[in-house]
Amino acid sequence: MTNQPPYEIEWRGHVVGSFEVTKVDMWYMSGQAQLLSTLEARAFSELASGLDLKLAHDDPTEKTRFFLRSDDSSVDALVLSLSDDGRLDLRGVYNREAVEWLRQHVR
């Protein structure tokens, strides 16, 4: 466990669940996602769990972006993987220019 607060997962303008960080390594985070029972959450789950990791690694526009929000912080992030048991792996994006590129090119 880390000292990270639990985050809300916001995707395409909708809160789709929560995320508790269990591991941090530089820009990468892993943890447990608890997705809501909404259409948007199901769409997020289907997209995130179906990503082709090789293609997404070679071309970031093949990933999907989302925001993690807590009372004290927010993080722009890219989904790396989402497993059937809710394990979510992501890459945080912190550089202002990179965040702007992400918002313009990655849905």
Side-chain angles (χ1 to χ4, degrees):
M1 278 303 190
T2 70
N3 291 342
Q4 300 280 338
Y7 290 96
E8 276 187 342
I9 302 169
E10 183 182 313
W11 178 69
R12 298 183 180 172
H14 301 277
V15 173
V16 296
S18 63
F19 177 68
E20 188 164 338
V21 178
T22 57
K23 182 179 177 186
V24 177
D25 182 11
M26 304 238 353
W27 303 284
Y28 299 92
M29 287 187 236
S30 296
Q32 194 63 35
Q34 297 293 325
L35 299 181
L36 300 174
S37 297
T38 63
L39 291 174
E40 294 84 7
R42 282 189 289 264
F44 173 80
S45 177
E46 287 175 15
L47 180 62
S49 62
L51 291 173
D52 179 327
L53 291 179
K54 167 108 175 72
L55 182 60
H57 181 270
D58 294 343
D59 181 1
T61 63
E62 293 296 324
K63 296 177 184 168
T64 191
R65 67 179 170 85
F66 63 100
F67 303 100
L68 294 176
R69 297 193 194 283
S70 71
D71 289 341
D72 347 303
S73 65
S74 65
V75 177
D76 287 81
L78 289 168
V79 171
L80 298 177
S81 67
L82 177 64
S83 66
D84 290 340
D85 66 356
R87 179 185 165 92
L88 177 63
D89 296 304
L90 62 95
R91 184 193 191 287
V93 180
Y94 302 95
N95 175 279
R96 187 178 345 157
E97 290 83 18
V99 167
E100 287 306 315
W101 184 91
L102 180 76
R103 290 179 180 174
Q104 292 174 15
H105 295 95
V106 180
R107 185 133 160 61

